[in-house]
Amino acid sequence: MNIHGVLVPIVTPFDKNGAVDLPTLEKLVGCLINKGVAGIVACGTTGEYYALSPKEREVVMTTIAKHAKGKVSLIAGINSLSTDYTIELAHQAKQMGYEGLMLSANPYSLPEQAGIIAHFEKVANTVKMPIIMYNFPARVGVNIEFETVEYLSKNPYIIGIKESSGNFSHALRMLQAKFANFEIVCGCDDQPVDFFFWGARSWIAGAANVFPDEQVAIYQAACNENWDEARRIMSKIYPAICSMESGDYNQKAKIGCLKGTVDVGGVRLPLVDISNEDKQEFLSLLNS
């Protein structure tokens, strides 16, 4: 499974009645593949996995797999409050043809580092699929510490970590450690050039729903060590990226989907749509 390049945690489109909009999901998968993304992450944070029923989740996962399998890498988000239910979701993804999994520490329970280790080890050793850990303490409530990553990187099924803490010093320490057969994945949409400069080769980017062309171009420029070009493109999209990272991320990822040309509907409770004034302000940043 290739995870080098830009991988998209794809949004889940909803129609005017709030139901999952499968035709638009199919269209979006095709558009993103045509833009050159390396992979699609189904049912991630940007996909509002927490707001989907088990049946809706299954339909979303199946639809994405049907239209993306064999074209790009397929990764399933399998976060849940329970380790055992996470394993059920992993087995489901495996049966659907997903190649890898993305998994955070369990939300809400605030496990210690020993519990985080046990969680990942149980999932990895039971399911035996490639796992990208997901460090997002602002949402989960706990940080995956360096020593924990160092330990888990030795598990053959744990192949990387999506680092979304926003603390680049933490990311840089991991990048400098050069763990064997283990990727440090950029998980902050405003830090890719920094990650790539220090050797990262993967970016799991919710904003790629909005800027797939530009983000693929940043990655390609970094691979060519054309740092001036990477900075130029990043500077162009930075105002919108900064707006997304500053709040209402999912709402803006949907409003700006493929720079506002694909209507993927609003967000589901417990999120609420932003005001029309804020929406227009964000749209004005997309082509500035």
Side-chain angles (χ1 to χ4, degrees), residues 88-241:
E88 286 185 35
L89 296 176
H91 282 307
Q92 181 190 59
K94 192 173 188 178
Q95 292 169 358
M96 292 177 177
Y98 282 79
E99 303 164 86
L101 309 169
M102 189 169 75
L103 176 62
S104 72
N106 302 88
Y108 192 78
S109 55
L110 303 179
E112 300 290 341
Q113 296 299 302
I116 293 171
I117 288 172
H119 171 62
F120 281 106
E121 285 190 322
K122 183 172 184 179
V123 177
N125 296 334
T126 302
V127 182
K128 296 180 168 56
M129 284 180 69
I131 292 174
I132 300 170
M133 298 189 294
Y134 184 12
N135 188 37
F136 202 169
R139 288 190 185 260
V140 175
V142 293
N143 188 54
I144 304 176
E145 301 293 349
F146 175 86
E147 293 77 13
T148 299
V149 177
E150 182 179 36
Y151 177 85
L152 289 170
S153 71
K154 299 170 185 175
N155 187 300
Y157 299 111
I158 299 177
I159 65 166
I161 182 166
K162 178 187 177 185
E163 175 50 44
S164 299
S165 70
N167 180 356
F168 189 71
S169 294
H170 181 55
L172 183 57
R173 187 180 180 192
M174 292 188 289
L175 286 160
Q176 291 288 333
K178 295 180 169 57
F179 301 130
N181 303 311
F182 188 85
E183 302 276 351
I184 310 302
V185 180
C186 177
C188 294
D189 287 343
D190 56 357
Q191 296 178 353
V193 179
D194 309 79
F195 273 80
F196 293 151
F197 181 81
W198 287 105
R201 285 295 175 262
S202 181
W203 183 12
I204 297 179
N209 288 282
V210 181
F211 293 113
D213 292 301
E214 290 86 350
Q215 294 183 214
V216 169
I218 289 171
Y219 172 75
Q220 292 172 341
C223 288
N224 293 327
E225 298 186 0
N226 188 345
W227 302 112
D228 287 342
E229 178 67 2
R231 285 194 299 268
R232 183 192 68 78
I233 301 169
M234 189 66 208
S235 295
K236 181 179 179 181
I237 66 174
Y238 180 75
I241 296 291

Side-chain angles (χ1 to χ4, degrees), residues 68-87:
K69 188 175 180 180
K71 299 174 183 176
V72 294
S73 295
L74 270 178
I75 298 172
I78 56 166
N79 290 348
S80 80
L81 298 176
S82 155
T83 300
D84 288 340
Y85 185 53
T86 289
I87 290 171

Side-chain angles (χ1 to χ4, degrees), residues 31-53:
C31 288
L32 291 169
I33 292 172
N34 290 338
K35 296 294 185 180
V37 302
I40 292 178
V41 181
C43 294
T45 306
T46 317
E48 299 175 81
Y49 74 90
Y50 48 80
L52 300 176
S53 71

